[in-house]
Amino acid sequence: MSQAVLFEKVAFIGLGLIGSSLARVIQAQHLAKSVVASTRSVKTLQDAKQLGLIDAGFHDAGEAIKGADLIVLALPVQATQSALEKIKPFLREDAIITDVGSTKGNVVDAAKAVFGENLPKGFIPGHPIAGSEHSGVHAGKVDLFANHKVILTPLQGSDKEAVQKLIQLWQAAQAEVICMDVDRHDEVLAHTSHLPHLMAFNLVEQLASRKDNLDIFRYAAGGFRDFSRIAASDPQMWHDIFFANKKAILNAVAGFEQQLQQFKQVIENEDSQKLMGMLGHARAARQHFNHMLANQPLMENHTVTQQFTILPGTQKFEGKFTVPGDKSVSHRSIMFGAIAEGTTHVTGFLEGEDALATLQAFRDMGVSIEGPKNGEVTIHGVGINGLKAPASALYMGNSGTSMRLLSGILSAQQFDSVMTGDASLSKRPMERIAKPLRLMGAKIQTTGEKGTPPVSITGSQQLQGIHYDLPMASAQVKSGILLAGLWANGETSVTEPEPTRDHTERMLRAFGYEVKTEGNKISLIGGEKLTGTDIQVPSDISSAAFFMVGAAITQGADITLEAVGINPTRTGVIEILKQMGANLTVENERIAGGEPIADIHIRGTQTLKGIHIPEDQVPLAIDEFPALFIAAACAEGETVLTGAAELRVKESDRIQVMADGLKLLGIQCTPTADGIIIQGKGKAGDWSPVFAGGQIESHHDHRIAMSFSMAGLRAAEPITIVGTETVATSFPTFTELATQAGLLLQVSNI
Ligand code: NAP
C-alpha cells in the first residue's frame, strides 16, 4: 500500500538491523524525498547504497542531518549522547528526532545532557518491539515491524503533530503504535524483555561452564533450545541495555530471585500441594494471558486474527455431541469454592478464556486451585474471610459475569481492588451493579467513561443488607448484590421484574448457604459460611443452541446434545424453537449438582414458522437470540422480538450487529429499540438456501460468529466471518464439533 510523502529528508544515524528495516519501509513506500545515513564504517554506507536504501552516506553525523526533517537514531543506546552532540549545531528547528533504542530513560537523560531541560519539541523517543538475533544493514527486513508493537514515549513538551507523523510512519510499517510514559516503558521492558534475556544468557553461561558441557548441549531438549534462543543475541547491545536500564533490571532480578527462592523452598520441603499450586498458577496465567501474548496489543484495542469460511453444500448435519460446560456454573463454582471452607471438586469445568479469568482472579487473591485438567478443578477454599489483596489489578478479559459478580464480592473485602477488562468488556455498563452496591455502603467507582470499567473498589467497608428492586432483569446484577449480601449485616433481598438465571441461588444452596425464593423475591442473611462440595457443571445450553438451530434449519439433520443444563431460567431457546415448530425433544431428564440436565434431540423435519416471541421467554433465552435470529431468517413468515433491550449492551450491540449481518446475507429485517422484526425466507417443505454469501464482521462477539456459522448450512454461497478468535471464550471445541457434524467450516489466520 503506497502512502503520500511524509518527509522531505530522513537521516539515519546508525543503519543496522533496525535502522535499515525502517529505511526499507520508507523506500518501498516512497515516504521521503531523500534518505541518508551516517554510520561508523564506510562499508555499511557502501552496502546501504548498493541495496538502494540511501541516496547518500556520510561519515559525519552533523553533515548527514543538514536539512533533514526526520532524524532516526538507530544505533546502540550508549552512543546516543555523542550522536546528539554531533548533530545539535545543524538541526532544523522543526526537525523530528526519534530513536529506536531498547531503553528510554537513559536516552532522555542523554538528550538532557546535550540540550538541557528544555528538550527540542520534536524529540520523541521510540522503541519498536521487534528484532532478531542478527545485526547489520544486511539483516534488515521490510516487514520486520509488521504486526509488532512500537512504543513511543512522548515527553511533556513534545509536539503533538510530530507524534502523529511518527505514528503514521510506524503504521506504514504495519506496526501498532502505543504511547507510554518513559519510566513505565523501562519498567515493563525490564520484566518482559531484559530479564528473560538476562536469564537466557545466565543459563547458557552456567551450562557452558560445566565440564560436561558437550553432553549437556548434545542432549539438550526442546525446552532448552526454546528458552536459550535469545542468548544468541548481540552481546554489545545487551551489555548496553543492562547498564542503560540498570535500576529497573535490578528490581526485576530481585523479584526473580525471590520467586526462585520460593520454588527452591517448596521443592526442598517436598510441599506437593504448594508446588502444584504454584505450577498450576503459572500455567493458568500463561494460558489466561496467552491470547494477549498471541494477538492482543498492550493498549487494548482488539486485533482480528482469525476468520471462518463456511462453504455451501453441507450433505449432513448429524451426531451425538457433548458441548462444553456451562459458563455461568463454571464461574460460580470457582467463586463459591474459593470462599467456602474445605475443598471443592469441579468436573465439566469450561476451560474457556472467560471462566479462566475468574480462576486467575481467585488465584491472584491467594486461593490455591489445582487444574483445570480435562475439565477437573480442585479448589482449596480459604473461607469467607480468607481472600488476600491481589498484587495488582485483576484482569477479567472479556468476562462481564466475572466483573459484575466480583464487584459484589470485592466490595465486602478488607482490601482495595481494581478490575480491568479487554476492549469489549471496557465498553460494558458497570453502574447497574455499582449503584445497588453503593446503597449497601460499598465504595465502588466505575472509572471508565460512561460508567464503564475499570472498576475501582475501596475495601474495609461494613456492608448493610438492603432490599433492591432490579430495574431490569439481570442475573449478573442480582448475583452481584446477593454475593455482597454474604458479608452484609442482616438480610439482603432482590426483586426481579422477570425471573432470570438462578444458578447463584442453586449453587449457594449446594454449598450449604440458605437462600429464600418467594415469588420474584430472593433473599439471604449475611454472616454464614459456605462448605466445600462437589460440582458437576452441566453442558451449556447457550453452546448447544447453535447446534439446535443448525439442526432445525437443515433438512434431514439429526443431532443429540448430551447432558445439557435445562435450568428453567435458561430453557427459553427450547420453548421458542418448539413454538416455531421445531422437531425437538427433551430426553433422559435428571439432576446433577443441584442443576437439572437432559439430552436434547432435534431433527430437521419441517420448515420453521415465524412467531411473536413471548416476552416472558426473553430473559430465559437472552444469550441465544443471535442463533434464534438465524432460525427466524429460515422460518416461513415474520418473527417479532420485543422486550430485549438488554441485547444492545452485550459483548456487542447484538441487535444491530445481527441485523447488519442478516441484511448483508439478503434477509429483510428491521431493528427496533428493544428487539427486531425478521422476515423469514423459508417456505413449507422447501429446504433450498435462504442466505446469500458474504463477509460478516463478528465485532469480536463469539455468539455472533457461531450464529452466522450455522447460517452457512442454508447459504447459496460461502459465508466468511471475520474476527472469530473470540469463539474460544465460550466454546473452545466449536469448530471441531461443527465440522464433525458436517458443517463445511474452514478456519484461517489473518
Ligand atoms: P546493529 O544492527 O548492530 O546496527 C547498529 C548500527 O549503529 C550500525 O549501523 C552501526 O554502524 C551503528 N553504530 C554502532 N555504534 C555506533 C557509534 N558509536 N556511533 C555511530 N554509529 C554506531 O544494531 P540494531 O539491532 O539495529 O540496534 C540498533 C538500536 O535498536 C539499539 O539501540 C537497540 O537497542 C535497538 N533495538 C534493537 C533490537 C534488536 O532486536 N536488534 C530491537 C529493538 C530495538 P556500523 O554499521 O558502521 O557498524
Side-chain angles (χ1 to χ4, degrees):
M1 187 180 45
S2 94
Q3 297 235 354
V5 172
L6 279 176
F7 300 101
E8 293 282 315
K9 173 177 170 181
V10 179
F12 282 91
I13 316 297
L15 197 67
L17 169 73
I18 302 292
S20 74
S21 296
L22 187 58
R24 281 171 167 87
V25 173
I26 293 174
Q27 293 291 17
Q29 299 189 38
H30 311 291
L31 299 176
K33 288 190 182 151
S34 79
V35 180
V36 303
S38 162
T39 58
R40 260 184 325 195
S41 66
V42 180
K43 172 92 172 64
T44 299
L45 294 175
Q46 285 169 348
D47 290 355
K49 260 190 172 171
Q50 256 185 3
L51 291 165
L53 298 179
I54 56 171
D55 305 306
F58 297 85
H59 186 61
D60 183 84
E63 281 298 313
I65 68 125
K66 278 184 187 165
D69 52 348
L70 173 66
I71 296 151
V72 183
L73 306 181
L75 72 185
V77 280
Q78 239 65 339
T80 307
Q81 186 170 335
S82 75
L84 288 174
E85 269 158 6
K86 280 185 206 142
I87 65 172
K88 184 182 171 194
F90 308 100
L91 275 175
R92 252 170 76 160
E93 206 182 323
D94 62 349
I96 300 175
I97 312 159
T98 190
D99 80 312
V100 295
S102 306
T103 55
K104 296 278 63 87
N106 73 316
V107 166
V108 174
D109 288 346
K112 284 184 179 164
V114 176
F115 295 102
E117 284 298 316
N118 283 334
L119 293 174
K121 279 197 317 202
F123 179 64
I124 298 148
H127 176 200
I129 315 286
S132 81
E133 295 80 70
H134 306 290
S135 50
V137 69
H138 291 283
K141 291 193 304 191
V142 71
D143 61 353
L144 186 71
F145 311 113
N147 303 318
H148 283 79
K149 295 171 187 86
V150 170
I151 300 177
L152 294 181
T153 58
L155 309 169
Q156 234 169 20
S158 293
D159 180 40
K160 291 206 170 58
E161 267 177 45
V163 176
Q164 277 313 318
K165 261 188 134 173
L166 278 182
I167 291 178
Q168 262 179 290
L169 172 66
W170 284 113
Q171 283 176 343
Q174 292 178 51
E176 184 207 342
V177 184
I178 293 155
C179 289
M180 203 185 261
D181 186 48
V182 169
D183 289 344
R184 181 84 188 124
H185 168 276
D186 285 358
E187 194 194 333
V188 168
L189 268 291
H191 285 90
T192 56
S193 167
H194 308 166
L195 178 65
H197 275 85
L198 187 64
M199 285 161 61
F201 283 119
N202 181 61
L203 180 72
V204 175
E205 177 63 8
Q206 179 197 339
L207 298 189
S209 330
R210 288 171 59 107
K211 277 208 190 87
D212 57 353
N213 59 7
L214 275 184
D215 277 352
I216 286 201
F217 285 92
R218 192 174 293 140
Y219 303 121
F224 176 75
R225 225 184 4 253
D226 291 348
F227 185 78
S228 63
R229 178 182 60 81
I230 48 181
S233 305
D234 181 23
Q236 182 65 50
M237 185 175 100
W238 283 98
H239 160 275
D240 289 4
I241 290 172
F242 292 146
F243 282 169
N245 199 21
K246 179 173 160 185
K247 199 169 137 219
I249 290 174
L250 290 182
N251 266 339
V253 171
F256 172 68
E257 282 174 341
Q258 230 176 17
Q259 185 66 47
L260 193 62
Q261 203 56 35
Q262 273 192 37
F263 269 110
K264 224 176 116 184
Q265 209 144 49
V266 292
I267 295 172
E268 215 162 79
N269 301 344
E270 295 185 15
D271 187 340
S272 161
Q273 187 188 329
K274 193 139 187 214
L275 182 60
M276 276 311 289
M278 285 165 74
L279 295 174
H281 190 177
R283 178 176 182 261
R286 180 66 176 73
Q287 285 171 340
H288 174 54
F289 294 113
N290 189 36
H291 64 293
M292 261 182 140
L293 290 177
N295 58 35
Q296 275 204 357
L298 275 174
M299 288 260 277
E300 323 228 79
N301 68 61
H302 267 300
T303 15
V304 168
T305 57
Q306 194 197 61
Q307 68 182 31
F308 292 168
T309 304
I310 322 291
L311 301 175
T314 296
Q315 298 299 321
K316 65 176 181 89
F317 195 64
E318 61 192 26
K320 264 192 182 181
F321 301 103
T322 305
V323 301
D326 185 297
K327 193 155 73 135
S328 306
V329 177
S330 296
H331 278 299
R332 287 159 174 84
S333 68
I334 298 295
M335 294 182 189
F336 300 176
I339 58 170
E341 286 176 17
T343 302
T344 293
H345 188 65
V346 184
T347 49
F349 179 80
L350 169 71
E351 295 181 36
E353 284 165 6
D354 278 13
L356 288 175
T358 293
L359 199 142
Q360 180 66 26
F362 281 90
R363 280 188 163 135
D364 288 347
M365 290 191 281
V367 182
S368 168
I369 303 174
E370 294 170 43
K373 196 174 177 196
N374 300 329
E376 289 193 27
V377 183
T378 303
I379 308 150
H380 300 278
V382 293
I384 199 101
N385 293 317
L387 295 178
K388 294 206 180 79
S392 56
L394 297 168
Y395 178 69
M396 297 301 162
N398 191 245
S399 177
T401 308
S402 311
M403 195 172 273
R404 297 216 175 98
L405 269 60
L406 269 164
S407 292
I409 294 177
L410 292 173
S411 288
Q413 301 306 312
Q414 292 303 308
F415 48 80
D416 299 348
S417 50
V418 174
M419 287 184 286
T420 60
D422 71 0
S424 155
L425 181 56
S426 296
K427 288 192 196 123
R428 297 181 64 188
M430 290 297 146
E431 269 303 308
R432 54 175 65 183
I433 177 66
K435 262 188 205 152
L437 290 174
R438 275 186 212 115
L439 295 176
M440 298 176 79
K443 281 207 170 154
I444 174 166
Q445 274 183 307
T446 50
T447 51
E449 295 166 28
K450 298 192 216 145
T452 47
V455 174
S456 176
I457 294 168
T458 308
S460 303
Q461 315 300 325
Q462 176 54 56
L463 303 185
Q464 300 299 327
I466 55 164
H467 173 74
Y468 192 70
D469 283 317
L470 280 181
M472 60 156 64
S474 163
Q476 291 176 355
V477 177
K478 170 180 70 176
S479 300
I481 299 169
L482 290 174
L483 288 178
L486 298 177
W487 285 268
N489 284 334
E491 185 183 89
T492 298
S493 58
V494 179
T495 303
E496 40 188 5
E498 286 115 38
T500 61
R501 302 174 182 191
D502 63 351
H503 303 298
T504 298
E505 297 91 303
R506 281 176 187 266
M507 201 184 286
L508 278 174
R509 289 184 194 117
F511 276 85
Y513 208 102
E514 196 185 333
V515 182
K516 275 196 200 145
T517 304
E518 297 153 289
N520 275 3
K521 182 180 164 198
I522 303 108
S523 62
L524 55 78
I525 294 174
E528 301 297 319
K529 65 169 193 170
L530 283 76
T531 308
T533 184
D534 289 349
I535 299 288
Q536 188 200 336
V537 179
S539 288
D540 191 348
I541 193 165
S542 298
S543 299
F546 304 110
F547 286 80
M548 286 155 66
V549 166
I553 62 171
T554 307
Q555 182 175 26
D558 190 341
I559 295 270
T560 302
L561 300 148
E562 296 173 304
V564 178
I566 50 159
N567 180 308
T569 58
R570 295 286 298 280
T571 46
V573 62
I574 293 179
E575 183 55 34
I576 294 167
L577 280 174
K578 276 186 173 169
Q579 288 194 17
M580 293 175 83
N583 182 349
L584 184 154
T585 49
V586 176
E587 299 165 359
N588 196 12
E589 283 187 49
R590 55 222 190 257
I591 296 280
E595 294 274 348
I597 62 172
D599 302 334
I600 296 173
H601 188 187
I602 181 154
R603 277 164 285 187
T605 53
Q606 64 240 23
T607 302
L608 300 175
K609 52 183 191 296
I611 57 166
H612 189 146
I613 295 168
E615 283 202 10
D616 64 350
Q617 292 298 318
V618 169
L620 315 185
I622 196 75
D623 280 341
E624 289 69 74
F625 281 112
L628 284 169
F629 290 178
I630 298 297
C634 299
E636 183 171 22
E638 185 176 88
T639 293
V640 180
L641 170 67
T642 51
E646 173 75 7
L647 281 179
R648 290 204 176 266
V649 290
K650 285 282 179 181
E651 280 87 329
S652 66
D653 176 345
R654 285 190 175 150
I655 291 177
Q656 195 57 47
V657 173
M658 282 302 296
D660 292 346
L662 287 172
K663 281 182 193 162
L664 197 136
L665 299 183
I667 303 296
Q668 267 187 39
C669 59
T670 316
T672 60
D674 67 344
I676 193 166
I677 303 163
I678 298 171
Q679 308 298 338
K681 267 188 155 177
K683 286 188 205 90
D686 176 1
W687 295 92
S688 56
V690 298
F691 297 104
Q695 179 167 309
I696 301 287
E697 295 291 336
S698 78
H699 290 259
H700 312 293
D701 187 330
H702 50 139
R703 297 205 199 282
I704 302 280
M706 289 185 274
S707 300
F708 279 113
S709 300
M710 290 302 157
L713 290 163
R714 290 285 294 277
E717 301 284 330
I719 295 178
T720 304
I721 304 153
V722 181
T724 50
E725 54 284 330
T726 50
V727 165
T729 58
S730 66
F731 199 159
T733 51
F734 174 74
T735 51
E736 190 187 319
L737 300 190
T739 312
Q740 268 176 35
L743 189 70
L744 303 173
L745 186 156
Q746 293 170 348
V747 183
S748 42
N749 293 320
I750 44 178

